Each structure stands twice: as C-alpha cells, then as structure tokens.
Amino acid sequence: MSVDVIPWAQRPDARLILVLSSERSGSTLLRYTLGAHSRLVSPSEMFLMRYPDYDAWRTRKSVAIDSLLEFFDMVGHPKSTEELDSIFATREIADVYRMLFDFLPERGILVDKTPAYANEISTLDRSRPLMPYYIWLIRHPLGVIDSHLRIKDREKQERAAEGSLPRRLLSPFTGVIRRLNGSREALARKREAKWVQQNQNIRRFLETVPHDQQVSLYFEDLVIGPEEIVPALCKMMGLEIEPGLLQFQGSRPSMNPHLGDPNFHTHKQIDSTPAYDWAERMREDWLMPHTKQLMKELDVRFLPEEAARQRTTA
Ligand code: A3P
C-alpha cells in the first residue's frame, strides 16, 4: 500500500462494511466480534442489498424487519415497524442505506453481513456506489457442507418429533434412511455447488474493487488465532485496535435462524474446534475436481495429507 493512501476507515465517507461469504462460514461470529468495536454497529442479517427498494424488501423478506429494528435499538433510536415503514417507504435501497448512515453515531460504521448477497453479482453491484469495505470470509467447503448437513438433520428430527406417532417412532432412523436412499449425498452436492457459485461470484466482483477496499479472511485462521487475526483485520481497514474486541463474554442471544447462526449462543468463546472437526465425518477427496481447483485458487488450506495428494495429482 502506498504511504499516502488514507486507510479506508479513516476516510470521511467510510460508513459501511459488507461481510461476504457463503452461509455457515462463521459470519455470525465475525459480525459479533466486529460489533464489539466502538465504531461498528453490527445487527443481524439485513438482506437489504438484495432488493432494489424498501418496498420490495418488505414484501419479499418480511422477516428481516427484525434486523432493522435491532439496528435502531443499537444506535439508540428505537422505532416501531410502522415508523420504519413511513420513513423508508418507496426509497431506493442505496437511499435507505444513506438514511441509516445518518442515524449512526459520529464516525460510526454499519456492518452488514448477509451471506445471501453472494448469490447474485447484481446484488454485489448494487453496493458499489456506497463505497463499502468488503471482508470476504472464506471457509473450507467441507466445514460449510458439514455444518449445513447437521442443521438439516436436526430440522428433520425436530419436525419428525413434532409429527405423528409413526413419524416420531421413525425419527431416530431418518438419517440412516436418507443416507441409504442417497438424498443426503444430493443435499451435500447441492451445498457444495452453492459454495462454489457464491465464492466465484464474490471473486469476480472483488476483482473490480480497489485493493484498499477489501480483504479476505479464512474462517480457520479466525477461530485458531483470533488474537492475531482480529487486530490485523482492524489494521487493514484502518480501524483503531481496541482492547475489548476479543472479550467474548456474557450470554449471547439465540438468533432467529433466518437471520444468523442458530447455534451461535451455544459457543462460550471463540472455539477452534469447528475449524477442522468436519474431518471426522468427511474427506476432501469426495469434493468435485472443480471445487478443489477453486480451493487452490483461493488458497483454501487442504488438510496436510490431502495437501500432499493434491500436489501430486495437480
Ligand atoms: P456449526 O455450528 O454448524 O458448526 P454462519 O454464522 O456463517 O452461519 O456460520 C456458522 C458456523 O460458525 C457454525 O456452524 C460454527 O462452525 C461457526 N461458529 C459459530 N460460533 C463460533 C464460535 N464461537 N467459535 C468458533 N466457531 C463458531
């Protein structure tokens, strides 16, 4: 970086950080960690950028009103849903963001982490005029797939437990039945394809964004070495390093599963176990060749013995 470039967070128009990732990549953890910084306001998933205007967002993603209400609570201007509708109705989405910036404290920055932004490049393009800083959070695809499958298994079990007596009796075996009929494999492949698509979209988009407006971050590094990674991230953005950033204390709220990680409140601290615990259940050689190719291009770390095999087959 040249010496006369002002770091992003020190510019007067620095108002928005977008966290881009595939779902299940640790984005709630990152949002929560960043939210401990005195300049950052970091509500649950907002989904705003996916829609051209406020009215489309309200109609097509009604659950996300909770995130907007949370934002206003956080900045000390609590509002009702009716008030929000009357303030923002008919506004284009970029204007909605600009109006939100006006409610931030002096030098405040909104952190908007919504993994679904990576689904379409048009969503990412919509963010451009707001000059955000982009944090690209990358997790090993098997970590993402494993997390996704565990959530789906649990949802099925919960549904079966709530259902009729025959379904309840079958519920302990539904995982096995699905494994036998192959639908679990199909679910995993679908999730793999989504990981590829989303990360390709992010990469294509960020290729067009100035370097001093973006950083990429690996989930595994974040959870294994948060003491180095979080201050380094702040430094990259031009944010002051604050002592309280890694104090992961107190009880965390349980998330609305539509707006963040439903298991987030179960973690007592930043935990390194999820970095590679998928390796007990899954193997990298299961991944499609094009997924492994993208992993290499994105510098996603393979497990050591798999890395050696990848080198010999490359
Ligand atoms: P699992 O709980 O299924 O393992 P996202 O917020 O993007 O949906 O990502 C959720 C994943 O982040 C979790 O998936 C978990 O792996 C990881 N995660 C959440 N809280 C964490 C913490 N305190 N420490 C380490 N990893 C965490």
Side-chain angles (χ1 to χ4, degrees):
M1 191 192 298
S2 107
V3 278
D4 50 4
V5 172
I6 304 172
W8 177 84
Q10 290 170 28
R11 300 176 196 163
D13 55 353
R15 304 323 300 266
L16 179 64
I17 293 172
L18 287 184
V19 176
L20 305 179
S21 70
S22 193
E23 292 84 357
R24 316 307 306 158
S25 296
S27 56
T28 309
L29 172 64
L30 182 59
R31 152 177 109 67
Y32 195 83
T33 305
L34 292 173
H37 194 285
S38 63
R39 286 185 63 191
L40 304 185
V41 176
S42 193
S44 303
E45 295 176 19
M46 302 190 80
F47 289 89
L48 282 165
M49 207 68 85
R50 290 197 87 190
Y51 301 94
D53 53 52
Y54 181 83
D55 295 352
W57 174 77
R58 279 292 278 134
T59 314
R60 286 152 61 191
K61 197 68 194 179
S62 56
V63 65
I65 193 69
D66 284 352
S67 305
L68 202 54
L69 292 165
E70 188 185 347
F71 167 85
F72 278 95
D73 282 343
M74 286 172 151
V75 295
H77 296 278
K79 302 244 177 295
S80 65
T81 302
E82 294 70 32
E83 285 173 302
L84 294 181
D85 286 348
S86 75
I87 296 172
F88 295 113
T90 75
R91 298 285 182 165
E92 286 191 2
I93 239 40
D95 286 339
V96 174
Y97 277 97
R98 290 190 189 100
M99 291 165 79
L100 295 180
F101 301 160
D102 289 341
F103 285 96
L104 288 167
E106 208 190 328
R107 301 186 73 232
I109 295 172
L110 167 64
V111 178
D112 180 2
K113 87 92 179 166
T114 305
Y117 290 167
N119 290 352
E120 308 98 18
I121 298 237
S122 56
T123 298
L124 301 173
D125 274 334
R126 198 174 282 127
S127 70
R128 228 183 265 280
L130 299 166
M131 302 287 288
Y133 194 90
Y134 300 94
I135 303 176
W136 181 7
L137 178 64
I138 307 173
R139 183 176 188 179
H140 191 294
L142 288 178
V144 168
I145 294 165
D146 181 49
S147 170
H148 180 72
L149 291 180
R150 279 186 284 109
I151 287 201
K152 291 289 167 204
D153 282 345
R154 205 180 61 200
E155 283 173 5
K156 288 251 173 187
Q157 276 167 13
E158 282 168 4
R159 272 201 300 276
E162 285 162 10
S164 61
L165 185 62
R167 282 188 71 177
R168 281 211 300 280
L169 291 174
L170 274 176
S171 70
F173 308 107
T174 49
V176 178
I177 292 166
R178 256 177 305 120
R179 261 193 294 279
L180 286 176
N181 71 17
S183 69
R184 203 165 193 276
E185 166 92 8
L187 200 61
R189 283 284 172 227
K190 211 168 147 198
R191 194 60 190 82
E192 178 188 15
K194 190 174 184 192
W195 182 92
V196 169
Q197 184 62 56
Q198 290 177 314
N199 281 293
Q200 275 175 340
N201 284 345
I202 298 171
R203 177 172 62 173
R204 260 182 61 204
F205 173 74
L206 289 181
E207 276 166 5
T208 66
V209 169
H211 288 292
D212 55 1
Q213 241 182 286
Q214 57 170 294
V215 67
S216 47
L217 172 68
Y218 296 91
F219 167 78
E220 294 75 15
D221 293 344
L222 173 67
V223 295
I224 290 170
E227 306 79 10
E228 291 108 65
I229 294 296
V230 175
L233 180 61
C234 290
K235 206 162 159 232
M236 282 291 291
M237 290 191 275
L239 278 174
E240 306 72 11
I241 294 165
E242 295 181 348
L245 270 182
L246 287 167
Q247 279 166 9
F248 202 75
Q249 286 165 354
S251 61
R252 276 157 296 285
S254 61
M255 303 277 154
N256 178 330
H258 300 287
L259 303 174
D261 172 11
N263 302 324
F264 186 64
H265 64 287
T266 63
H267 294 270
K268 301 257 176 304
Q269 68 260 320
I270 300 183
D271 179 7
S272 60
T273 322
Y276 291 107
D277 70 341
W278 49 262
E280 292 165 20
R281 295 171 285 278
M282 318 188 86
R283 287 180 54 89
E284 283 165 326
D285 51 14
W286 173 87
L287 290 165
M288 299 292 277
H290 66 273
T291 308
K292 287 190 273 204
Q293 180 58 33
L294 184 60
M295 286 172 69
K296 281 186 225 159
E297 288 165 13
L298 303 185
D299 280 333
V300 177
R301 220 165 293 130
F302 288 83
L303 287 183
E305 69 274 23
E306 294 275 348
R309 205 172 20 245
Q310 291 300 321
R311 263 198 301 280
T312 54
T313 55

mmCIF file with all atom_site columns, all heavy atoms in Angstrom, residues 175-196:
data_model
loop_
_atom_site.group_PDB
_atom_site.id
_atom_site.type_symbol
_atom_site.label_atom_id
_atom_site.label_alt_id
_atom_site.label_comp_id
_atom_site.label_asym_id
_atom_site.label_entity_id
_atom_site.label_seq_id
_atom_site.pdbx_PDB_ins_code
_atom_site.Cartn_x
_atom_site.Cartn_y
_atom_site.Cartn_z
_atom_site.occupancy
_atom_site.B_iso_or_equiv
_atom_site.pdbx_formal_charge
_atom_site.auth_seq_id
_atom_site.auth_comp_id
_atom_site.auth_asym_id
_atom_site.auth_atom_id
_atom_site.pdbx_PDB_model_num
ATOM 1   N N   . GLY A 1 175 ? -32.106 -40.312 9.534  1.00 0.00 ? 175 GLY A N   1
ATOM 2   C CA  . GLY A 1 175 ? -30.771 -40.036 8.986  1.00 0.00 ? 175 GLY A CA  1
ATOM 3   C C   . GLY A 1 175 ? -30.279 -41.230 8.192  1.00 0.00 ? 175 GLY A C   1
ATOM 4   O O   . GLY A 1 175 ? -29.796 -41.099 7.068  1.00 0.00 ? 175 GLY A O   1
ATOM 5   N N   . VAL A 1 176 ? -30.451 -42.417 8.755  1.00 0.00 ? 176 VAL A N   1
ATOM 6   C CA  . VAL A 1 176 ? -29.984 -43.644 8.098  1.00 0.00 ? 176 VAL A CA  1
ATOM 7   C C   . VAL A 1 176 ? -30.757 -43.869 6.803  1.00 0.00 ? 176 VAL A C   1
ATOM 8   O O   . VAL A 1 176 ? -30.179 -44.151 5.745  1.00 0.00 ? 176 VAL A O   1
ATOM 9   C CB  . VAL A 1 176 ? -30.208 -44.861 9.028  1.00 0.00 ? 176 VAL A CB  1
ATOM 10  C CG1 . VAL A 1 176 ? -29.781 -46.148 8.344  1.00 0.00 ? 176 VAL A CG1 1
ATOM 11  C CG2 . VAL A 1 176 ? -29.477 -44.665 10.343 1.00 0.00 ? 176 VAL A CG2 1
ATOM 12  N N   . ILE A 1 177 ? -32.102 -43.659 6.893  1.00 0.00 ? 177 ILE A N   1
ATOM 13  C CA  . ILE A 1 177 ? -32.928 -43.894 5.696  1.00 0.00 ? 177 ILE A CA  1
ATOM 14  C C   . ILE A 1 177 ? -32.487 -42.961 4.570  1.00 0.00 ? 177 ILE A C   1
ATOM 15  O O   . ILE A 1 177 ? -32.290 -43.355 3.431  1.00 0.00 ? 177 ILE A O   1
ATOM 16  C CB  . ILE A 1 177 ? -34.428 -43.669 6.016  1.00 0.00 ? 177 ILE A CB  1
ATOM 17  C CG1 . ILE A 1 177 ? -34.899 -44.769 6.970  1.00 0.00 ? 177 ILE A CG1 1
ATOM 18  C CG2 . ILE A 1 177 ? -35.273 -43.646 4.758  1.00 0.00 ? 177 ILE A CG2 1
ATOM 19  C CD1 . ILE A 1 177 ? -36.232 -44.504 7.629  1.00 0.00 ? 177 ILE A CD1 1
ATOM 20  N N   . ARG A 1 178 ? -32.236 -41.675 4.957  1.00 0.00 ? 178 ARG A N   1
ATOM 21  C CA  . ARG A 1 178 ? -31.828 -40.737 3.917  1.00 0.00 ? 178 ARG A CA  1
ATOM 22  C C   . ARG A 1 178 ? -30.446 -41.073 3.349  1.00 0.00 ? 178 ARG A C   1
ATOM 23  O O   . ARG A 1 178 ? -30.190 -40.928 2.176  1.00 0.00 ? 178 ARG A O   1
ATOM 24  C CB  . ARG A 1 178 ? -31.848 -39.303 4.445  1.00 0.00 ? 178 ARG A CB  1
ATOM 25  C CG  . ARG A 1 178 ? -33.068 -38.581 3.900  1.00 0.00 ? 178 ARG A CG  1
ATOM 26  C CD  . ARG A 1 178 ? -33.203 -37.189 4.417  1.00 0.00 ? 178 ARG A CD  1
ATOM 27  N NE  . ARG A 1 178 ? -33.191 -37.213 5.852  1.00 0.00 ? 178 ARG A NE  1
ATOM 28  C CZ  . ARG A 1 178 ? -32.282 -36.585 6.577  1.00 0.00 ? 178 ARG A CZ  1
ATOM 29  N NH1 . ARG A 1 178 ? -31.335 -35.909 5.991  1.00 0.00 ? 178 ARG A NH1 1
ATOM 30  N NH2 . ARG A 1 178 ? -32.340 -36.630 7.868  1.00 0.00 ? 178 ARG A NH2 1
ATOM 31  N N   . ARG A 1 179 ? -29.564 -41.548 4.256  1.00 0.00 ? 179 ARG A N   1
ATOM 32  C CA  . ARG A 1 179 ? -28.239 -41.929 3.764  1.00 0.00 ? 179 ARG A CA  1
ATOM 33  C C   . ARG A 1 179 ? -28.370 -43.070 2.758  1.00 0.00 ? 179 ARG A C   1
ATOM 34  O O   . ARG A 1 179 ? -27.723 -43.097 1.739  1.00 0.00 ? 179 ARG A O   1
ATOM 35  C CB  . ARG A 1 179 ? -27.347 -42.355 4.933  1.00 0.00 ? 179 ARG A CB  1
ATOM 36  C CG  . ARG A 1 179 ? -26.407 -41.225 5.369  1.00 0.00 ? 179 ARG A CG  1
ATOM 37  C CD  . ARG A 1 179 ? -25.333 -41.722 6.299  1.00 0.00 ? 179 ARG A CD  1
ATOM 38  N NE  . ARG A 1 179 ? -25.860 -42.169 7.574  1.00 0.00 ? 179 ARG A NE  1
ATOM 39  C CZ  . ARG A 1 179 ? -26.174 -41.353 8.569  1.00 0.00 ? 179 ARG A CZ  1
ATOM 40  N NH1 . ARG A 1 179 ? -26.003 -40.059 8.439  1.00 0.00 ? 179 ARG A NH1 1
ATOM 41  N NH2 . ARG A 1 179 ? -26.660 -41.804 9.708  1.00 0.00 ? 179 ARG A NH2 1
ATOM 42  N N   . LEU A 1 180 ? -29.304 -44.025 3.067  1.00 0.00 ? 180 LEU A N   1
ATOM 43  C CA  . LEU A 1 180 ? -29.474 -45.169 2.181  1.00 0.00 ? 180 LEU A CA  1
ATOM 44  C C   . LEU A 1 180 ? -30.047 -44.755 0.836  1.00 0.00 ? 180 LEU A C   1
ATOM 45  O O   . LEU A 1 180 ? -29.646 -45.253 -0.202 1.00 0.00 ? 180 LEU A O   1
ATOM 46  C CB  . LEU A 1 180 ? -30.404 -46.202 2.834  1.00 0.00 ? 180 LEU A CB  1
ATOM 47  C CG  . LEU A 1 180 ? -29.787 -47.011 3.979  1.00 0.00 ? 180 LEU A CG  1
ATOM 48  C CD1 . LEU A 1 180 ? -30.831 -47.918 4.585  1.00 0.00 ? 180 LEU A CD1 1
ATOM 49  C CD2 . LEU A 1 180 ? -28.589 -47.816 3.478  1.00 0.00 ? 180 LEU A CD2 1
ATOM 50  N N   . ASN A 1 181 ? -30.985 -43.835 0.843  1.00 0.00 ? 181 ASN A N   1
ATOM 51  C CA  . ASN A 1 181 ? -31.601 -43.506 -0.453 1.00 0.00 ? 181 ASN A CA  1
ATOM 52  C C   . ASN A 1 181 ? -30.858 -42.392 -1.189 1.00 0.00 ? 181 ASN A C   1
ATOM 53  O O   . ASN A 1 181 ? -31.272 -41.957 -2.249 1.00 0.00 ? 181 ASN A O   1
ATOM 54  C CB  . ASN A 1 181 ? -33.097 -43.192 -0.302 1.00 0.00 ? 181 ASN A CB  1
ATOM 55  C CG  . ASN A 1 181 ? -33.339 -41.867 0.385  1.00 0.00 ? 181 ASN A CG  1
ATOM 56  O OD1 . ASN A 1 181 ? -32.428 -41.038 0.482  1.00 0.00 ? 181 ASN A OD1 1
ATOM 57  N ND2 . ASN A 1 181 ? -34.531 -41.667 0.883  1.00 0.00 ? 181 ASN A ND2 1
ATOM 58  N N   . GLY A 1 182 ? -29.758 -41.961 -0.615 1.00 0.00 ? 182 GLY A N   1
ATOM 59  C CA  . GLY A 1 182 ? -28.883 -41.055 -1.358 1.00 0.00 ? 182 GLY A CA  1
ATOM 60  C C   . GLY A 1 182 ? -29.245 -39.596 -1.270 1.00 0.00 ? 182 GLY A C   1
ATOM 61  O O   . GLY A 1 182 ? -28.552 -38.751 -1.815 1.00 0.00 ? 182 GLY A O   1
ATOM 62  N N   . SER A 1 183 ? -30.325 -39.213 -0.574 1.00 0.00 ? 183 SER A N   1
ATOM 63  C CA  . SER A 1 183 ? -30.711 -37.810 -0.608 1.00 0.00 ? 183 SER A CA  1
ATOM 64  C C   . SER A 1 183 ? -29.750 -36.941 0.200  1.00 0.00 ? 183 SER A C   1
ATOM 65  O O   . SER A 1 183 ? -29.609 -35.764 -0.053 1.00 0.00 ? 183 SER A O   1
ATOM 66  C CB  . SER A 1 183 ? -32.136 -37.621 -0.104 1.00 0.00 ? 183 SER A CB  1
ATOM 67  O OG  . SER A 1 183 ? -32.197 -37.884 1.270  1.00 0.00 ? 183 SER A OG  1
ATOM 68  N N   . ARG A 1 184 ? -29.062 -37.565 1.156  1.00 0.00 ? 184 ARG A N   1
ATOM 69  C CA  . ARG A 1 184 ? -28.087 -36.799 1.934  1.00 0.00 ? 184 ARG A CA  1
ATOM 70  C C   . ARG A 1 184 ? -26.905 -36.397 1.033  1.00 0.00 ? 184 ARG A C   1
ATOM 71  O O   . ARG A 1 184 ? -26.401 -35.288 1.105  1.00 0.00 ? 184 ARG A O   1
ATOM 72  C CB  . ARG A 1 184 ? -27.608 -37.645 3.101  1.00 0.00 ? 184 ARG A CB  1
ATOM 73  C CG  . ARG A 1 184 ? -27.056 -36.828 4.233  1.00 0.00 ? 184 ARG A CG  1
ATOM 74  C CD  . ARG A 1 184 ? -26.944 -37.676 5.483  1.00 0.00 ? 184 ARG A CD  1
ATOM 75  N NE  . ARG A 1 184 ? -26.701 -36.854 6.643  1.00 0.00 ? 184 ARG A NE  1
ATOM 76  C CZ  . ARG A 1 184 ? -25.523 -36.436 7.013  1.00 0.00 ? 184 ARG A CZ  1
ATOM 77  N NH1 . ARG A 1 184 ? -24.468 -36.733 6.306  1.00 0.00 ? 184 ARG A NH1 1
ATOM 78  N NH2 . ARG A 1 184 ? -25.387 -35.673 8.085  1.00 0.00 ? 184 ARG A NH2 1
ATOM 79  N N   . GLU A 1 185 ? -26.511 -37.312 0.180  1.00 0.00 ? 185 GLU A N   1
ATOM 80  C CA  . GLU A 1 185 ? -25.435 -37.038 -0.782 1.00 0.00 ? 185 GLU A CA  1
ATOM 81  C C   . GLU A 1 185 ? -25.859 -35.896 -1.714 1.00 0.00 ? 185 GLU A C   1
ATOM 82  O O   . GLU A 1 185 ? -25.090 -34.986 -1.989 1.00 0.00 ? 185 GLU A O   1
ATOM 83  C CB  . GLU A 1 185 ? -25.153 -38.331 -1.580 1.00 0.00 ? 185 GLU A CB  1
ATOM 84  C CG  . GLU A 1 185 ? -24.324 -38.154 -2.829 1.00 0.00 ? 185 GLU A CG  1
ATOM 85  C CD  . GLU A 1 185 ? -22.828 -38.343 -2.574 1.00 0.00 ? 185 GLU A CD  1
ATOM 86  O OE1 . GLU A 1 185 ? -22.477 -38.756 -1.444 1.00 0.00 ? 185 GLU A OE1 1
ATOM 87  O OE2 . GLU A 1 185 ? -22.045 -38.049 -3.497 1.00 0.00 ? 185 GLU A OE2 1
ATOM 88  N N   . ALA A 1 186 ? -27.124 -35.967 -2.154 1.00 0.00 ? 186 ALA A N   1
ATOM 89  C CA  . ALA A 1 186 ? -27.615 -34.919 -3.062 1.00 0.00 ? 186 ALA A CA  1
ATOM 90  C C   . ALA A 1 186 ? -27.619 -33.562 -2.362 1.00 0.00 ? 186 ALA A C   1
ATOM 91  O O   . ALA A 1 186 ? -27.255 -32.536 -2.959 1.00 0.00 ? 186 ALA A O   1
ATOM 92  C CB  . ALA A 1 186 ? -29.015 -35.267 -3.543 1.00 0.00 ? 186 ALA A CB  1
ATOM 93  N N   . LEU A 1 187 ? -28.004 -33.579 -1.104 1.00 0.00 ? 187 LEU A N   1
ATOM 94  C CA  . LEU A 1 187 ? -28.022 -32.332 -0.324 1.00 0.00 ? 187 LEU A CA  1
ATOM 95  C C   . LEU A 1 187 ? -26.607 -31.757 -0.196 1.00 0.00 ? 187 LEU A C   1
ATOM 96  O O   . LEU A 1 187 ? -26.383 -30.558 -0.364 1.00 0.00 ? 187 LEU A O   1
ATOM 97  C CB  . LEU A 1 187 ? -28.573 -32.672 1.072  1.00 0.00 ? 187 LEU A CB  1
ATOM 98  C CG  . LEU A 1 187 ? -29.141 -31.561 1.925  1.00 0.00 ? 187 LEU A CG  1
ATOM 99  C CD1 . LEU A 1 187 ? -30.319 -30.910 1.224  1.00 0.00 ? 187 LEU A CD1 1
ATOM 100 C CD2 . LEU A 1 187 ? -29.603 -32.140 3.279  1.00 0.00 ? 187 LEU A CD2 1
ATOM 101 N N   . ALA A 1 188 ? -25.660 -32.656 0.058  1.00 0.00 ? 188 ALA A N   1
ATOM 102 C CA  . ALA A 1 188 ? -24.268 -32.227 0.207  1.00 0.00 ? 188 ALA A CA  1
ATOM 103 C C   . ALA A 1 188 ? -23.733 -31.670 -1.110 1.00 0.00 ? 188 ALA A C   1
ATOM 104 O O   . ALA A 1 188 ? -23.063 -30.635 -1.149 1.00 0.00 ? 188 ALA A O   1
ATOM 105 C CB  . ALA A 1 188 ? -23.418 -33.393 0.689  1.00 0.00 ? 188 ALA A CB  1
ATOM 106 N N   . ARG A 1 189 ? -24.063 -32.339 -2.226 1.00 0.00 ? 189 ARG A N   1
ATOM 107 C CA  . ARG A 1 189 ? -23.587 -31.862 -3.537 1.00 0.00 ? 189 ARG A CA  1
ATOM 108 C C   . ARG A 1 189 ? -24.187 -30.493 -3.870 1.00 0.00 ? 189 ARG A C   1
ATOM 109 O O   . ARG A 1 189 ? -23.528 -29.631 -4.435 1.00 0.00 ? 189 ARG A O   1
ATOM 110 C CB  . ARG A 1 189 ? -23.988 -32.851 -4.638 1.00 0.00 ? 189 ARG A CB  1
ATOM 111 C CG  . ARG A 1 189 ? -23.146 -34.076 -4.700 1.00 0.00 ? 189 ARG A CG  1
ATOM 112 C CD  . ARG A 1 189 ? -21.772 -33.802 -5.331 1.00 0.00 ? 189 ARG A CD  1
ATOM 113 N NE  . ARG A 1 189 ? -20.925 -34.978 -5.206 1.00 0.00 ? 189 ARG A NE  1
ATOM 114 C CZ  . ARG A 1 189 ? -19.669 -34.973 -4.786 1.00 0.00 ? 189 ARG A CZ  1
ATOM 115 N NH1 . ARG A 1 189 ? -19.066 -33.835 -4.472 1.00 0.00 ? 189 ARG A NH1 1
ATOM 116 N NH2 . ARG A 1 189 ? -18.969 -36.076 -4.699 1.00 0.00 ? 189 ARG A NH2 1
ATOM 117 N N   . LYS A 1 190 ? -25.471 -30.324 -3.492 1.00 0.00 ? 190 LYS A N   1
ATOM 118 C CA  . LYS A 1 190 ? -26.132 -29.043 -3.759 1.00 0.00 ? 190 LYS A CA  1
ATOM 119 C C   . LYS A 1 190 ? -25.426 -27.929 -2.974 1.00 0.00 ? 190 LYS A C   1
ATOM 120 O O   . LYS A 1 190 ? -25.183 -26.836 -3.479 1.00 0.00 ? 190 LYS A O   1
ATOM 121 C CB  . LYS A 1 190 ? -27.596 -29.152 -3.307 1.00 0.00 ? 190 LYS A CB  1
ATOM 122 C CG  . LYS A 1 190 ? -28.535 -28.315 -4.102 1.00 0.00 ? 190 LYS A CG  1
ATOM 123 C CD  . LYS A 1 190 ? -29.957 -28.698 -3.790 1.00 0.00 ? 190 LYS A CD  1
ATOM 124 C CE  . LYS A 1 190 ? -30.811 -27.447 -3.886 1.00 0.00 ? 190 LYS A CE  1
ATOM 125 N NZ  . LYS A 1 190 ? -32.071 -27.550 -3.251 1.00 0.00 ? 190 LYS A NZ  1
ATOM 126 N N   . ARG A 1 191 ? -25.069 -28.257 -1.742 1.00 0.00 ? 191 ARG A N   1
ATOM 127 C CA  . ARG A 1 191 ? -24.414 -27.242 -0.901 1.00 0.00 ? 191 ARG A CA  1
ATOM 128 C C   . ARG A 1 191 ? -23.011 -26.939 -1.410 1.00 0.00 ? 191 ARG A C   1
ATOM 129 O O   . ARG A 1 191 ? -22.542 -25.804 -1.342 1.00 0.00 ? 191 ARG A O   1
ATOM 130 C CB  . ARG A 1 191 ? -24.386 -27.731 0.567  1.00 0.00 ? 191 ARG A CB  1
ATOM 131 C CG  . ARG A 1 191 ? -24.041 -26.628 1.547  1.00 0.00 ? 191 ARG A CG  1
ATOM 132 C CD  . ARG A 1 191 ? -25.071 -25.517 1.464  1.00 0.00 ? 191 ARG A CD  1
ATOM 133 N NE  . ARG A 1 191 ? -24.675 -24.321 2.196  1.00 0.00 ? 191 ARG A NE  1
ATOM 134 C CZ  . ARG A 1 191 ? -23.860 -23.372 1.748  1.00 0.00 ? 191 ARG A CZ  1
ATOM 135 N NH1 . ARG A 1 191 ? -23.337 -23.470 0.531  1.00 0.00 ? 191 ARG A NH1 1
ATOM 136 N NH2 . ARG A 1 191 ? -23.589 -22.312 2.479  1.00 0.00 ? 191 ARG A NH2 1
ATOM 137 N N   . GLU A 1 192 ? -22.362 -27.981 -1.923 1.00 0.00 ? 192 GLU A N   1
ATOM 138 C CA  . GLU A 1 192 ? -21.029 -27.788 -2.493 1.00 0.00 ? 192 GLU A CA  1
ATOM 139 C C   . GLU A 1 192 ? -21.115 -26.825 -3.688 1.00 0.00 ? 192 GLU A C   1
ATOM 140 O O   . GLU A 1 192 ? -20.337 -25.885 -3.814 1.00 0.00 ? 192 GLU A O   1
ATOM 141 C CB  . GLU A 1 192 ? -20.455 -29.142 -2.942 1.00 0.00 ? 192 GLU A CB  1
ATOM 142 C CG  . GLU A 1 192 ? -19.088 -29.037 -3.587 1.00 0.00 ? 192 GLU A CG  1
ATOM 143 C CD  . GLU A 1 192 ? -18.622 -30.368 -4.188 1.00 0.00 ? 192 GLU A CD  1
ATOM 144 O OE1 . GLU A 1 192 ? -19.464 -31.292 -4.350 1.00 0.00 ? 192 GLU A OE1 1
ATOM 145 O OE2 . GLU A 1 192 ? -17.414 -30.479 -4.499 1.00 0.00 ? 192 GLU A OE2 1
ATOM 146 N N   . ALA A 1 193 ? -22.125 -27.079 -4.554 1.00 0.00 ? 193 ALA A N   1
ATOM 147 C CA  . ALA A 1 193 ? -22.289 -26.231 -5.743 1.00 0.00 ? 193 ALA A CA  1
ATOM 148 C C   . ALA A 1 193 ? -22.557 -24.784 -5.326 1.00 0.00 ? 193 ALA A C   1
ATOM 149 O O   . ALA A 1 193 ? -22.069 -23.834 -5.954 1.00 0.00 ? 193 ALA A O   1
ATOM 150 C CB  . ALA A 1 193 ? -23.433 -26.756 -6.598 1.00 0.00 ? 193 ALA A CB  1
ATOM 151 N N   . LYS A 1 194 ? -23.303 -24.622 -4.244 1.00 0.00 ? 194 LYS A N   1
ATOM 152 C CA  . LYS A 1 194 ? -23.604 -23.262 -3.790 1.00 0.00 ? 194 LYS A CA  1
ATOM 153 C C   . LYS A 1 194 ? -22.334 -22.570 -3.272 1.00 0.00 ? 194 LYS A C   1
ATOM 154 O O   . LYS A 1 194 ? -22.099 -21.401 -3.539 1.00 0.00 ? 194 LYS A O   1
ATOM 155 C CB  . LYS A 1 194 ? -24.678 -23.307 -2.686 1.00 0.00 ? 194 LYS A CB  1
ATOM 156 C CG  . LYS A 1 194 ? -25.222 -21.956 -2.322 1.00 0.00 ? 194 LYS A CG  1
ATOM 157 C CD  . LYS A 1 194 ? -26.381 -22.057 -1.348 1.00 0.00 ? 194 LYS A CD  1
ATOM 158 C CE  . LYS A 1 194 ? -26.963 -20.679 -1.089 1.00 0.00 ? 194 LYS A CE  1
ATOM 159 N NZ  . LYS A 1 194 ? -27.878 -20.671 0.046  1.00 0.00 ? 194 LYS A NZ  1
ATOM 160 N N   . TRP A 1 195 ? -21.514 -23.313 -2.538 1.00 0.00 ? 195 TRP A N   1
ATOM 161 C CA  . TRP A 1 195 ? -20.237 -22.758 -2.047 1.00 0.00 ? 195 TRP A CA  1
ATOM 162 C C   . TRP A 1 195 ? -19.405 -22.254 -3.234 1.00 0.00 ? 195 TRP A C   1
ATOM 163 O O   . TRP A 1 195 ? -18.848 -21.163 -3.197 1.00 0.00 ? 195 TRP A O   1
ATOM 164 C CB  . TRP A 1 195 ? -19.474 -23.832 -1.260 1.00 0.00 ? 195 TRP A CB  1
ATOM 165 C CG  . TRP A 1 195 ? -18.179 -23.360 -0.671 1.00 0.00 ? 195 TRP A CG  1
ATOM 166 C CD1 . TRP A 1 195 ? -17.987 -22.841 0.584  1.00 0.00 ? 195 TRP A CD1 1
ATOM 167 C CD2 . TRP A 1 195 ? -16.885 -23.342 -1.302 1.00 0.00 ? 195 TRP A CD2 1
ATOM 168 N NE1 . TRP A 1 195 ? -16.658 -22.517 0.762  1.00 0.00 ? 195 TRP A NE1 1
ATOM 169 C CE2 . TRP A 1 195 ? -15.961 -22.808 -0.382 1.00 0.00 ? 195 TRP A CE2 1
ATOM 170 C CE3 . TRP A 1 195 ? -16.416 -23.722 -2.561 1.00 0.00 ? 195 TRP A CE3 1
ATOM 171 C CZ2 . TRP A 1 195 ? -14.606 -22.656 -0.667 1.00 0.00 ? 195 TRP A CZ2 1
ATOM 172 C CZ3 . TRP A 1 195 ? -15.059 -23.552 -2.855 1.00 0.00 ? 195 TRP A CZ3 1
ATOM 173 C CH2 . TRP A 1 195 ? -14.172 -23.032 -1.909 1.00 0.00 ? 195 TRP A CH2 1
ATOM 174 N N   . VAL A 1 196 ? -19.349 -23.091 -4.276 1.00 0.00 ? 196 VAL A N   1
ATOM 175 C CA  . VAL A 1 196 ? -18.559 -22.729 -5.463 1.00 0.00 ? 196 VAL A CA  1
ATOM 176 C C   . VAL A 1 196 ? -19.139 -21.471 -6.107 1.00 0.00 ? 196 VAL A C   1
ATOM 177 O O   . VAL A 1 196 ? -18.431 -20.493 -6.374 1.00 0.00 ? 196 VAL A O   1
ATOM 178 C CB  . VAL A 1 196 ? -18.518 -23.903 -6.476 1.00 0.00 ? 196 VAL A CB  1
ATOM 179 C CG1 . VAL A 1 196 ? -17.949 -23.459 -7.814 1.00 0.00 ? 196 VAL A CG1 1
ATOM 180 C CG2 . VAL A 1 196 ? -17.717 -25.070 -5.905 1.00 0.00 ? 196 VAL A CG2 1
#
